[in-house]
Structures are given as structure tokens and as C-alpha cells.
Amino acid sequence: MTLTSWGFGAGDIAVMAGAGRFVGNWLMAQRRDRALLDFLALQPEDILQRKGLVDTATLHSRWDNKLVLLKNGKRHVITHSSTGSVVENMDSFTWFMSLLVATLDAAVGSKMLKELVVQLLLDIIGDKTTGSVDYLLNEVQQHIMGWRSSACVRSISHTARSIWQRLAREGKHLPGEIPGTDSEEILRLLIWIISGPSCRFTTTSTDIMCLASILSELGLELLVIDYDGRTFDENRLVVSFSILPLFHSLTLEASESTKRRGMRIPLDDLKECVSLWPGDGNRRNQYRTIFTHGARAAEGVKLVVSLEHNFLDEEEIDVFYVAEQSAKLFQKRVREEEKSILNQFLLVPTLRAAEFVAKFTRNWPPRSREQIGFWLDEVSMSKNTEEEIAHFTTGTRKCLAELQIFLLGYWYTVLQPLVDTSQLPVQEAYGSWGWNDIQVVKAFRRLKFAEDPDDHRIPRFEVIKLIGYLFAGAEHDEQLLPLKNRSVGVLGKLALVTAGLMGGADTPEKVGMFFLLDIDASCIPSNSRGIILCGLRKLCPKIATQSTPQAISQSLAESPSGDDDFSSRIEPDWGYDTQRVLVAYRDRGRIVHRVSPVDGDLAVLVSWIAPVPLVQECKPRDQQFATIIRARLEEYHGGFQIRCRDLTMAEFKALSECPSEPNIGLVVLTNSLPKARACIVSMYGAGVAALCSNSFAKAAEDTTLAAVIA
């Protein structure tokens, strides 16, 4: 099977191969690994010293019969026409590292994953060759991306996460990611698997047992898990659990050094994300109730894209949000700590929100109320430790946990309508927070703090930070804090991207949306931190062209274009920075234009004309534009010149009540073609074209426009 037989064009293949050369992906993983081993003068068996550890034929038969890729903004599943494999087999080293990275990706954070892989490679390769350390450190990130990509397109990564979550539900390990304090034990397990002298490995860590379980279920069939001290065949690699010392990982209290962040978020029932918190059944029921109260406090409040923008500094241009509320604002007197919660952590302090805040804080002890009140007033946004609440009593910490749960319910309810999860194979997201975690409380405060005090606008990159934190499993310090304006997404456990980057965001409502994707992230260019930055693209110049006039007097709702919609794909900005992204639009395989996703979103917002009822159409005004030129979509192929028609003076004088400029815009009928609409308005730039939904009469009143896209 080949990529062309799956419906990918030459341009698509070039982009994937180019991405593989720059960052590493499934297409180039095997080739990169062979180059690494050739440079080190090693064979796979020199590294994987246990015979029979990796059965490449079995793995090929199991995992290579289906691939999942991103095509035209949607998950595209590729299978063989019969029962065969769709890609060639990989060697044992690439298979092992792909399984390992998928396992670690399910159980640890991105930073810890890289540190573990680097240390493992140094331990097993460093003593076999000389001068290899610098080469490994320079190349390892591309190899990790290739192994992660290989596991993701084969759905190995998805399977690994499912196993990890199932083991948590079964009580085999605590919810969340493995803390950094277990790094040495993880390395000890991995080195034993590869080259250990014995056939039995004993550990007191439930997390290590679960890691071994994932590797075994993914395809390392020699591994068996033993909780009961059973006897196995001597050819098996047995991972045994010891209850000594008594305080193993299931009995440890969470501290900053053992904080377990990374929570499963069931999107169909959000309150279940707090069901696995420590406590008995009654306590967990109370947590779910508080979460529900937070969700109800958000009723009548939503974030929408602002249609007002500041164009004074092009480097700072970005999309902004504003809060809309249909609920009444609170006006009564409340306690100081309640006032702090309402004003500093909620999007809009409504009367309903005040009632629910009072409901869960009324039972706080006076001492806890005082401690939390002082902390809320002086909360430090720059610190990210537990030191500032070290003096809190146990009772105060429980009250602070209730505050966290309430805020989680509020913000998940506010932000979920902005996230399109239709492309997820399973309706589950990933939160980067843990229980009793003040980091998430500060994340909510940071978004509120980013609101402009005058016009109350919130930059989109701040919204990306919070959605990435709550839904995509993005790391707080490594990814979200450095994320700046004109960012269009972040690659965490899941990929979070703006709707404009996916193509077809042709209305303000769509511009404000995000997509949550469980796909091979190597197809989306990003910087070394996984932040997706907008590329640069010049607007198209305008030239005159001669088109045949056509009478357009009927309503656009009755005027189908007769064309197929454009397709779109995400590309690196080859001409400026390959770590930045552009959106390439094509029409039946032919390039139309490459668009900067942020500038495209702004063009839609500024050019937008809201739909009007057809009964409000002014027929005499419509008749005046009876000779407006209609442009067809193929006139825009190439994307380098915007074509508008110059009227002759005779034609200009024949039009009654026309302005002084003898220039009339084209009408492009693209109703029901969202990608074509988004592409063409982006080609013109903000304020040059008019984008309307059901009538061109109002848009055509301004004849200085280059086009009316209707």
C-alpha cells in the first residue's frame, strides 16, 4: 500500500516527509533509527540483549493493519482492502522504543518522558561506543517524536492510555501521572527488561507494576505480572510486587514532591473527574455536589469572540474574547472571602454564582475562612509551590480543596462549549491538575487577571492556556507559561488547535472554537515546547480583470454555488520558519492560497456582516447592483493576485447613486462552502472584503470593497 493509494496527493506526501526530516514522524522513524545505529556501529540485538523480547512479526500483524491520520481537518482511518498490513514492518529497536514511548506517554509528563528516554539510551548505549553522548543529546528529540508518531498512527498510544486509566479504575495505582520521585525505579525496570541478569524483578511501587502491565499488554509478551508470588516458566520475565515497606505508593499522602497531576476528564459526565479523589463514599458524593454547584453557577455566562480589534501594532494583533451574561449580577453584601472568589476567579459575578459560593463556604470554620480569605487577597501568581499554604491547618486544606472543585465545575462548564471534540475516538480529555492542587486555582486567577480592565477583553492565547490545561493535558510550566500572543494551539497529551487552523472558520462563532484531537501530532508544526505558532503570509495584491457581468437579484439562500468546497491542510511556513504553521487551501488538488491562521481569523471577524431577515431586503437597492460581477472559484487559483473588475466610465455613470469611486467589487457565491469562504476572505485581508451569510445588498453598499463573499 502507498500514500497515493490512500488519497494523499504529492503535496501531502511532501509535507509529511518534510516534517519527518525536521521533527521526526512515523514515515522517517525507522530510517532515523537505522542512521543512529549505523553511526554508533551497533545492531538492534546489541541494545536489546534479551532474546525474544520483541517479536516483530507478531507486532506487525497486530498493529500495522490500521493507521489513523489527519486529512482535510478530520481523522482518516486507513485499512487494508483485505486482511493485510498497510505499512512495512519495523525492526526490533524501533518497535521497542515505540512501545516504550507510548507507555511512558500514558503515565508520565512530557518532560519526565524525555529525561527517562535520554538516560536510558545513555545507560545502554553510552558504554558501548565512544563519543556518542553529544550525538545522542542532539538527536534524541527527533527520535522521540518519531517513536511517538509511530505509536500514535497505529493507535498504540491510545491503547496505552486506556490501559493506564483502566488500572486506575481497578485501584491498581493512584489517579494521575507518576511523580518524578519514581524516575530511578522506572529506569531500573527498563534496564532490567532490556539486559537484566535475572528473570525476576521485584518492586514496592504500584506504578512500576502498572507500567510493566502496559508493556506486556502492548506486545512484550515475555513480561508477566505477579502480585501473588506465583511460579512461572523460566523463560518468562516476571515483575513481582512486594508489600514491604508498608507505606507503598497506594498509601502515600500527596505532597509537592509526589504530586500526581494529569486527570482523566469524561466529557459526557464532567463531575466524574473528581470521583477518584481520596476519601470515602460520602466525601466523594460531597465533591460531586460541589462540582455540580460550580457548573450551575456558570449558567447564563459564556465566552464569545470580540468583534472589536486594535490594529495599531501588527505584531500584537490577535483574537480576543469577551464575556456575555444573561444572568443578573449580584449586588448584595457578602463575606470578604466570597467577594474575593466572585471577583477574582469567576468570569462574571452573577447573583446565581454568589448563591452557590455562599452555599459551599457557609460551613467553613472561622479559622479556615480567615486563612483562605487572606490567601485569596494576596495570592502570588509567580510562585508555584505549596510553601505559601504550608501553615494551613488540615481543616483549611479541605476547605481549599472544596474551592478548587467548585472552580473546576465553573470553568469546565464555561469552556466546554468552545471545544469541538467530534474528532476524538473516545470522549475523554486530560486535565493537567491534581487533587488539593493550588496550581489550578492560580490558573483560573491568571485568566481573570488577563482581562483588560477597560474593555474587558481577554486575549485568545490566555484562553488557549486554560483550555490546554483543563482539556489537552498541556504542561503548566513547560508549555503554558511561555505561550504568547498569535499562538494557535498547543500539543499536550492531546492536540488543541484553533478552528481556523483546521480550515473553514468562516463565522465569528467558528473563529472562537477549538478542536481537541487525538492524532499524530508530528503533522502539526510546533516549537520545541509543543506550542503552535502562527506563520507569516503576505496578502494578495489586487489587479483588474475582465469578467462577464451577471444579473444577481435573487436571495443568496436560493443561489447555490454549484462548486465543491476547498480542502485544507496544515503546513509548515517553509519560507519563514518551519516551526510555524500556515493553512494551505486547495481546490480539487490545485493550490489556491496559503493563509496565516491568525490573520485569516481577523479577516473573518472584521469583514463579517451578520445575517439579516430577507423581509428587510431593499429591492430598489438590489436592482441598482443588477450588473455586479460574479467571480467563480477557479479565478482564485494560485492565490497571488486578487481580481476585481474596474468599471468603464459609461458603466459607472449608468449606475444610479453610486459613490465617487468607479470601482465595484465582485460577488463570490460560496454559501455552504465554509473553507472557500474562509480562504477567500483571508486572501483579501481584514476590512477589504465583506463576508455575509444570506444577502449581498448590505455589503455591496460599500463599493470600495474588493469582493463580497456571500
Short mmCIF file of all heavy atoms in Angstrom, two decimals, residues 76-135:
data_model
loop_
_atom_site.label_atom_id
_atom_site.label_comp_id
_atom_site.label_asym_id
_atom_site.label_seq_id
_atom_site.Cartn_x
_atom_site.Cartn_y
_atom_site.Cartn_z
N HIS A 76 -8.66 10.33 9.68
CA HIS A 76 -8.80 9.48 8.49
C HIS A 76 -8.22 8.12 8.82
O HIS A 76 -7.02 7.99 9.09
CB HIS A 76 -8.07 10.12 7.31
CG HIS A 76 -8.25 9.38 6.01
ND1 HIS A 76 -9.47 9.23 5.41
CD2 HIS A 76 -7.34 8.75 5.22
CE1 HIS A 76 -9.33 8.54 4.29
NE2 HIS A 76 -8.04 8.24 4.15
N VAL A 77 -9.06 7.10 8.84
CA VAL A 77 -8.64 5.74 9.18
C VAL A 77 -8.33 4.98 7.91
O VAL A 77 -9.15 4.91 6.98
CB VAL A 77 -9.72 5.02 10.00
CG1 VAL A 77 -9.27 3.60 10.35
CG2 VAL A 77 -10.04 5.79 11.27
N ILE A 78 -7.14 4.39 7.86
CA ILE A 78 -6.68 3.66 6.68
C ILE A 78 -6.56 2.19 7.05
O ILE A 78 -5.90 1.82 8.02
CB ILE A 78 -5.30 4.19 6.21
CG1 ILE A 78 -5.42 5.66 5.82
CG2 ILE A 78 -4.78 3.37 5.05
CD1 ILE A 78 -4.08 6.33 5.63
N THR A 79 -7.22 1.35 6.29
CA THR A 79 -7.15 -0.09 6.49
C THR A 79 -6.84 -0.76 5.16
O THR A 79 -7.01 -0.18 4.09
CB THR A 79 -8.47 -0.65 7.04
OG1 THR A 79 -9.54 -0.29 6.16
CG2 THR A 79 -8.76 -0.09 8.43
N HIS A 80 -6.40 -2.00 5.21
CA HIS A 80 -6.10 -2.76 4.01
C HIS A 80 -7.39 -3.28 3.40
O HIS A 80 -8.37 -3.55 4.10
CB HIS A 80 -5.15 -3.92 4.34
CG HIS A 80 -4.44 -4.48 3.15
ND1 HIS A 80 -5.03 -5.38 2.29
CD2 HIS A 80 -3.19 -4.26 2.67
CE1 HIS A 80 -4.18 -5.70 1.34
NE2 HIS A 80 -3.05 -5.04 1.54
N SER A 81 -7.39 -3.41 2.09
CA SER A 81 -8.60 -3.89 1.40
C SER A 81 -8.94 -5.32 1.80
O SER A 81 -10.10 -5.72 1.73
CB SER A 81 -8.40 -3.80 -0.12
OG SER A 81 -7.24 -4.53 -0.51
N SER A 82 -7.94 -6.09 2.21
CA SER A 82 -8.21 -7.45 2.69
C SER A 82 -7.86 -7.51 4.17
O SER A 82 -8.38 -6.76 4.98
CB SER A 82 -7.41 -8.47 1.88
OG SER A 82 -6.03 -8.17 1.93
N THR A 83 -6.98 -8.39 4.56
CA THR A 83 -6.61 -8.50 5.98
C THR A 83 -5.13 -8.24 6.20
O THR A 83 -4.60 -8.54 7.26
CB THR A 83 -6.95 -9.91 6.51
OG1 THR A 83 -6.26 -10.88 5.72
CG2 THR A 83 -8.45 -10.16 6.45
N GLY A 84 -4.46 -7.68 5.20
CA GLY A 84 -3.02 -7.49 5.30
C GLY A 84 -2.65 -6.22 6.04
O GLY A 84 -3.50 -5.45 6.50
N SER A 85 -1.35 -5.99 6.15
CA SER A 85 -0.82 -4.79 6.79
C SER A 85 -0.77 -3.64 5.80
O SER A 85 -0.63 -3.85 4.59
CB SER A 85 0.58 -5.07 7.36
OG SER A 85 0.54 -6.13 8.29
N VAL A 86 -0.85 -2.43 6.31
CA VAL A 86 -0.88 -1.25 5.44
C VAL A 86 0.48 -0.57 5.35
O VAL A 86 0.67 0.32 4.54
CB VAL A 86 -1.94 -0.23 5.90
CG1 VAL A 86 -3.32 -0.81 5.75
CG2 VAL A 86 -1.68 0.21 7.34
N VAL A 87 1.43 -0.96 6.21
CA VAL A 87 2.78 -0.40 6.17
C VAL A 87 3.79 -1.53 6.36
O VAL A 87 3.45 -2.62 6.80
CB VAL A 87 3.00 0.68 7.26
CG1 VAL A 87 2.22 1.94 6.94
CG2 VAL A 87 2.63 0.15 8.63
N GLU A 88 5.04 -1.22 6.03
CA GLU A 88 6.10 -2.21 6.20
C GLU A 88 6.42 -2.41 7.68
O GLU A 88 6.18 -1.54 8.51
CB GLU A 88 7.35 -1.75 5.45
CG GLU A 88 7.20 -1.70 3.94
CD GLU A 88 8.48 -1.27 3.26
OE1 GLU A 88 9.44 -0.94 4.00
OE2 GLU A 88 8.52 -1.26 2.02
N ASN A 89 6.99 -3.55 7.97
CA ASN A 89 7.38 -3.88 9.34
C ASN A 89 8.57 -3.02 9.78
O ASN A 89 9.31 -2.49 8.96
CB ASN A 89 7.75 -5.36 9.43
CG ASN A 89 7.72 -5.88 10.85
OD1 ASN A 89 7.44 -5.13 11.79
ND2 ASN A 89 8.00 -7.16 11.03
N MET A 90 8.72 -2.84 11.09
CA MET A 90 9.85 -2.12 11.65
C MET A 90 10.79 -3.12 12.33
O MET A 90 10.39 -4.24 12.65
CB MET A 90 9.38 -1.07 12.66
CG MET A 90 8.45 -0.02 12.09
SD MET A 90 8.07 1.33 13.24
CE MET A 90 7.15 0.47 14.53
N ASP A 91 12.03 -2.70 12.57
CA ASP A 91 12.96 -3.60 13.25
C ASP A 91 12.68 -3.58 14.75
O ASP A 91 11.89 -2.79 15.26
CB ASP A 91 14.41 -3.27 12.93
CG ASP A 91 14.84 -1.88 13.42
OD1 ASP A 91 14.33 -1.43 14.45
OD2 ASP A 91 15.69 -1.26 12.76
N SER A 92 13.37 -4.47 15.47
CA SER A 92 13.06 -4.68 16.89
C SER A 92 13.33 -3.43 17.73
O SER A 92 12.59 -3.14 18.68
CB SER A 92 13.87 -5.86 17.43
OG SER A 92 15.27 -5.64 17.25
N PHE A 93 14.39 -2.66 17.40
CA PHE A 93 14.71 -1.48 18.19
C PHE A 93 13.63 -0.42 18.06
O PHE A 93 13.17 0.15 19.06
CB PHE A 93 16.07 -0.92 17.75
CG PHE A 93 16.45 0.36 18.46
CD1 PHE A 93 16.78 0.34 19.81
CD2 PHE A 93 16.47 1.57 17.79
CE1 PHE A 93 17.14 1.52 20.47
CE2 PHE A 93 16.82 2.75 18.43
CZ PHE A 93 17.15 2.72 19.78
N THR A 94 13.17 -0.15 16.83
CA THR A 94 12.13 0.86 16.63
C THR A 94 10.82 0.41 17.25
O THR A 94 10.09 1.22 17.84
CB THR A 94 11.94 1.13 15.12
OG1 THR A 94 13.19 1.53 14.56
CG2 THR A 94 10.93 2.24 14.89
N TRP A 95 10.50 -0.87 17.16
CA TRP A 95 9.28 -1.37 17.79
C TRP A 95 9.35 -1.19 19.31
O TRP A 95 8.39 -0.70 19.93
CB TRP A 95 9.07 -2.86 17.47
CG TRP A 95 8.23 -3.13 16.26
CD1 TRP A 95 8.61 -3.76 15.12
CD2 TRP A 95 6.85 -2.79 16.08
NE1 TRP A 95 7.57 -3.84 14.24
CE2 TRP A 95 6.46 -3.25 14.81
CE3 TRP A 95 5.91 -2.13 16.86
CZ2 TRP A 95 5.18 -3.08 14.29
CZ3 TRP A 95 4.63 -1.95 16.37
CH2 TRP A 95 4.28 -2.42 15.10
N PHE A 96 10.47 -1.59 19.92
CA PHE A 96 10.58 -1.49 21.37
C PHE A 96 10.46 -0.04 21.83
O PHE A 96 9.73 0.26 22.79
CB PHE A 96 11.91 -2.08 21.85
CG PHE A 96 12.11 -1.96 23.33
CD1 PHE A 96 11.52 -2.85 24.21
CD2 PHE A 96 12.88 -0.92 23.86
CE1 PHE A 96 11.69 -2.72 25.58
CE2 PHE A 96 13.05 -0.78 25.24
CZ PHE A 96 12.45 -1.69 26.10
N MET A 97 11.16 0.88 21.17
CA MET A 97 11.13 2.27 21.58
C MET A 97 9.75 2.88 21.35
O MET A 97 9.30 3.73 22.14
CB MET A 97 12.21 3.07 20.86
CG MET A 97 13.64 2.65 21.19
SD MET A 97 14.02 2.62 22.97
CE MET A 97 13.78 4.35 23.40
N SER A 98 9.05 2.47 20.31
CA SER A 98 7.69 2.97 20.07
C SER A 98 6.74 2.52 21.18
O SER A 98 5.92 3.30 21.69
CB SER A 98 7.18 2.51 18.71
OG SER A 98 7.97 3.02 17.66
N LEU A 99 6.84 1.23 21.58
CA LEU A 99 6.01 0.73 22.67
C LEU A 99 6.37 1.42 23.98
O LEU A 99 5.48 1.77 24.79
CB LEU A 99 6.19 -0.78 22.82
CG LEU A 99 5.75 -1.66 21.65
CD1 LEU A 99 6.01 -3.12 21.97
CD2 LEU A 99 4.30 -1.44 21.30
N LEU A 100 7.66 1.64 24.20
CA LEU A 100 8.11 2.27 25.44
C LEU A 100 7.62 3.71 25.53
O LEU A 100 7.10 4.13 26.58
CB LEU A 100 9.64 2.23 25.52
CG LEU A 100 10.27 3.00 26.69
CD1 LEU A 100 9.80 2.44 28.01
CD2 LEU A 100 11.79 2.96 26.59
N VAL A 101 7.78 4.48 24.46
CA VAL A 101 7.35 5.88 24.48
C VAL A 101 5.83 5.97 24.65
O VAL A 101 5.33 6.84 25.38
CB VAL A 101 7.81 6.61 23.20
CG1 VAL A 101 7.12 7.96 23.05
CG2 VAL A 101 9.32 6.79 23.22
N ALA A 102 5.08 5.08 24.02
CA ALA A 102 3.62 5.08 24.20
C ALA A 102 3.26 4.80 25.66
O ALA A 102 2.34 5.42 26.22
CB ALA A 102 2.98 4.04 23.29
N THR A 103 3.98 3.87 26.29
CA THR A 103 3.71 3.53 27.69
C THR A 103 4.03 4.70 28.61
O THR A 103 3.23 5.07 29.48
CB THR A 103 4.54 2.30 28.09
OG1 THR A 103 4.17 1.20 27.27
CG2 THR A 103 4.31 1.95 29.55
N LEU A 104 5.21 5.29 28.43
CA LEU A 104 5.59 6.44 29.26
C LEU A 104 4.68 7.63 29.01
O LEU A 104 4.36 8.38 29.94
CB LEU A 104 7.05 6.81 28.99
CG LEU A 104 8.11 5.78 29.41
CD1 LEU A 104 9.50 6.26 29.03
CD2 LEU A 104 8.03 5.52 30.92
N ASP A 105 4.27 7.83 27.77
CA ASP A 105 3.39 8.95 27.44
C ASP A 105 2.06 8.84 28.16
O ASP A 105 1.43 9.85 28.48
CB ASP A 105 3.17 9.00 25.92
CG ASP A 105 2.85 10.40 25.43
OD1 ASP A 105 3.26 11.37 26.10
OD2 ASP A 105 2.19 10.53 24.39
N ALA A 106 1.63 7.62 28.43
CA ALA A 106 0.36 7.42 29.15
C ALA A 106 0.50 7.69 30.64
O ALA A 106 -0.49 8.05 31.29
CB ALA A 106 -0.14 6.00 28.92
N ALA A 107 1.72 7.53 31.17
CA ALA A 107 1.86 7.51 32.63
C ALA A 107 2.69 8.64 33.22
O ALA A 107 2.62 8.87 34.43
CB ALA A 107 2.49 6.17 33.05
N VAL A 108 3.47 9.37 32.41
CA VAL A 108 4.31 10.44 32.94
C VAL A 108 4.15 11.68 32.06
O VAL A 108 3.62 11.62 30.95
CB VAL A 108 5.80 10.03 33.01
CG1 VAL A 108 5.97 8.74 33.80
CG2 VAL A 108 6.40 9.87 31.62
N GLY A 109 4.65 12.81 32.54
CA GLY A 109 4.61 14.05 31.77
C GLY A 109 5.67 14.06 30.68
O GLY A 109 6.61 13.26 30.66
N SER A 110 5.54 15.03 29.75
CA SER A 110 6.44 15.09 28.60
C SER A 110 7.88 15.33 29.00
O SER A 110 8.81 14.73 28.44
CB SER A 110 5.97 16.20 27.65
OG SER A 110 4.68 15.94 27.16
N LYS A 111 8.10 16.20 29.97
CA LYS A 111 9.47 16.49 30.40
C LYS A 111 10.11 15.26 31.03
O LYS A 111 11.27 14.92 30.72
CB LYS A 111 9.46 17.65 31.41
CG LYS A 111 10.84 18.05 31.90
CD LYS A 111 10.77 19.20 32.89
CE LYS A 111 12.15 19.58 33.41
NZ LYS A 111 12.07 20.69 34.40
N MET A 112 9.37 14.58 31.88
CA MET A 112 9.90 13.38 32.52
C MET A 112 10.13 12.27 31.50
O MET A 112 11.11 11.51 31.59
CB MET A 112 8.92 12.91 33.61
CG MET A 112 9.40 11.74 34.43
SD MET A 112 8.25 11.42 35.80
CE MET A 112 8.85 9.83 36.38
N LEU A 113 9.27 12.17 30.49
CA LEU A 113 9.44 11.17 29.44
C LEU A 113 10.78 11.37 28.73
O LEU A 113 11.54 10.42 28.54
CB LEU A 113 8.28 11.25 28.44
CG LEU A 113 8.25 10.23 27.31
CD1 LEU A 113 6.80 9.98 26.87
CD2 LEU A 113 9.05 10.66 26.08
N LYS A 114 11.06 12.60 28.32
CA LYS A 114 12.31 12.87 27.62
C LYS A 114 13.51 12.55 28.50
O LYS A 114 14.49 11.94 28.04
CB LYS A 114 12.35 14.33 27.18
CG LYS A 114 13.62 14.70 26.43
CD LYS A 114 13.62 16.16 26.00
CE LYS A 114 14.93 16.52 25.31
NZ LYS A 114 14.96 17.93 24.88
N GLU A 115 13.45 12.94 29.76
CA GLU A 115 14.57 12.67 30.67
C GLU A 115 14.80 11.18 30.83
O GLU A 115 15.95 10.71 30.85
CB GLU A 115 14.30 13.32 32.02
CG GLU A 115 14.30 14.85 31.99
CD GLU A 115 13.86 15.47 33.30
OE1 GLU A 115 13.35 14.71 34.17
OE2 GLU A 115 14.00 16.69 33.47
N LEU A 116 13.72 10.40 30.93
CA LEU A 116 13.85 8.96 31.10
C LEU A 116 14.44 8.31 29.85
O LEU A 116 15.33 7.45 29.94
CB LEU A 116 12.48 8.34 31.41
CG LEU A 116 11.94 8.57 32.82
CD1 LEU A 116 10.48 8.14 32.90
CD2 LEU A 116 12.78 7.81 33.85
N VAL A 117 13.97 8.71 28.67
CA VAL A 117 14.46 8.11 27.43
C VAL A 117 15.93 8.45 27.23
O VAL A 117 16.73 7.59 26.85
CB VAL A 117 13.61 8.58 26.24
CG1 VAL A 117 14.24 8.14 24.92
CG2 VAL A 117 12.20 8.02 26.34
N VAL A 118 16.29 9.71 27.47
CA VAL A 118 17.70 10.12 27.32
C VAL A 118 18.59 9.31 28.25
O VAL A 118 19.63 8.77 27.84
CB VAL A 118 17.85 11.63 27.59
CG1 VAL A 118 19.33 12.00 27.70
CG2 VAL A 118 17.20 12.44 26.49
N GLN A 119 18.19 9.21 29.52
CA GLN A 119 19.02 8.48 30.48
C GLN A 119 19.11 7.01 30.15
O GLN A 119 20.17 6.38 30.28
CB GLN A 119 18.46 8.67 31.90
CG GLN A 119 19.39 8.19 33.00
CD GLN A 119 20.74 8.88 32.97
OE1 GLN A 119 20.81 10.11 32.94
NE2 GLN A 119 21.82 8.10 32.96
N LEU A 120 18.00 6.42 29.67
CA LEU A 120 18.01 5.01 29.29
C LEU A 120 18.98 4.76 28.14
O LEU A 120 19.78 3.82 28.18
CB LEU A 120 16.60 4.57 28.91
CG LEU A 120 16.47 3.13 28.40
CD1 LEU A 120 16.80 2.14 29.50
CD2 LEU A 120 15.06 2.88 27.85
N LEU A 121 18.91 5.62 27.11
CA LEU A 121 19.79 5.46 25.97
C LEU A 121 21.25 5.65 26.36
O LEU A 121 22.13 4.92 25.88
CB LEU A 121 19.40 6.43 24.86
CG LEU A 121 18.05 6.17 24.18
CD1 LEU A 121 17.74 7.25 23.17
CD2 LEU A 121 18.06 4.80 23.49
N LEU A 122 21.51 6.61 27.23
CA LEU A 122 22.88 6.82 27.69
C LEU A 122 23.39 5.61 28.47
O LEU A 122 24.55 5.21 28.34
CB LEU A 122 22.97 8.08 28.55
CG LEU A 122 22.79 9.41 27.82
CD1 LEU A 122 22.83 10.56 28.82
CD2 LEU A 122 23.87 9.60 26.77
N ASP A 123 22.51 5.01 29.27
CA ASP A 123 22.93 3.87 30.09
C ASP A 123 23.22 2.64 29.24
O ASP A 123 24.15 1.87 29.53
CB ASP A 123 21.86 3.55 31.13
CG ASP A 123 21.80 4.57 32.25
OD1 ASP A 123 22.76 5.37 32.36
OD2 ASP A 123 20.81 4.59 32.99
N ILE A 124 22.41 2.43 28.19
CA ILE A 124 22.57 1.18 27.43
C ILE A 124 23.47 1.33 26.20
O ILE A 124 23.97 0.34 25.68
CB ILE A 124 21.19 0.63 26.98
CG1 ILE A 124 20.49 1.61 26.03
CG2 ILE A 124 20.32 0.32 28.18
CD1 ILE A 124 19.15 1.10 25.53
N ILE A 125 23.67 2.57 25.75
CA ILE A 125 24.50 2.79 24.56
C ILE A 125 25.83 3.44 24.92
O ILE A 125 26.86 3.15 24.32
CB ILE A 125 23.75 3.66 23.52
CG1 ILE A 125 22.56 2.88 22.97
CG2 ILE A 125 24.67 4.07 22.38
CD1 ILE A 125 21.73 3.67 21.97
N GLY A 126 25.79 4.32 25.93
CA GLY A 126 26.98 5.11 26.24
C GLY A 126 28.21 4.29 26.54
O GLY A 126 29.33 4.70 26.20
N ASP A 127 28.04 3.11 27.15
CA ASP A 127 29.20 2.30 27.50
C ASP A 127 29.64 1.37 26.37
O ASP A 127 30.60 0.63 26.51
CB ASP A 127 28.92 1.47 28.75
CG ASP A 127 27.73 0.53 28.56
OD1 ASP A 127 27.00 0.70 27.57
OD2 ASP A 127 27.54 -0.36 29.41
N LYS A 128 28.92 1.41 25.24
CA LYS A 128 29.25 0.54 24.11
C LYS A 128 30.03 1.26 23.03
O LYS A 128 30.67 0.64 22.18
CB LYS A 128 27.98 -0.06 23.50
CG LYS A 128 27.16 -0.88 24.48
CD LYS A 128 25.93 -1.45 23.81
CE LYS A 128 25.02 -2.15 24.81
NZ LYS A 128 25.70 -3.24 25.51
N THR A 129 29.95 2.59 22.99
CA THR A 129 30.64 3.37 21.97
C THR A 129 31.28 4.58 22.62
O THR A 129 30.90 5.00 23.72
CB THR A 129 29.66 3.86 20.88
OG1 THR A 129 28.67 4.70 21.49
CG2 THR A 129 28.97 2.70 20.20
N THR A 130 32.22 5.16 21.93
CA THR A 130 32.87 6.39 22.41
C THR A 130 32.39 7.57 21.59
O THR A 130 32.14 7.45 20.39
CB THR A 130 34.40 6.25 22.29
OG1 THR A 130 34.74 6.02 20.92
CG2 THR A 130 34.92 5.14 23.17
N GLY A 131 32.25 8.70 22.25
CA GLY A 131 31.84 9.92 21.54
C GLY A 131 30.38 9.95 21.15
O GLY A 131 30.00 10.71 20.26
N SER A 132 29.56 9.11 21.76
CA SER A 132 28.14 9.03 21.35
C SER A 132 27.24 9.95 22.14
O SER A 132 26.10 10.19 21.73
CB SER A 132 27.64 7.59 21.52
OG SER A 132 27.74 7.19 22.89
N VAL A 133 27.70 10.46 23.28
CA VAL A 133 26.83 11.23 24.15
C VAL A 133 26.32 12.50 23.47
O VAL A 133 25.12 12.78 23.46
CB VAL A 133 27.56 11.58 25.47
CG1 VAL A 133 26.69 12.51 26.32
CG2 VAL A 133 27.90 10.31 26.23
N ASP A 134 27.22 13.28 22.89
CA ASP A 134 26.82 14.52 22.25
C ASP A 134 25.86 14.27 21.10
O ASP A 134 24.88 15.01 20.91
CB ASP A 134 28.05 15.28 21.74
CG ASP A 134 28.90 15.82 22.88
OD1 ASP A 134 28.36 15.94 24.00
OD2 ASP A 134 30.09 16.10 22.65
N TYR A 135 26.12 13.24 20.32
CA TYR A 135 25.24 12.91 19.20
C TYR A 135 23.85 12.54 19.69
O TYR A 135 22.84 12.97 19.14
CB TYR A 135 25.85 11.76 18.39
CG TYR A 135 25.04 11.38 17.17
CD1 TYR A 135 25.15 12.11 15.99
CD2 TYR A 135 24.17 10.30 17.20
CE1 TYR A 135 24.41 11.77 14.87
CE2 TYR A 135 23.42 9.95 16.09
CZ TYR A 135 23.54 10.68 14.92
OH TYR A 135 22.80 10.34 13.82
#
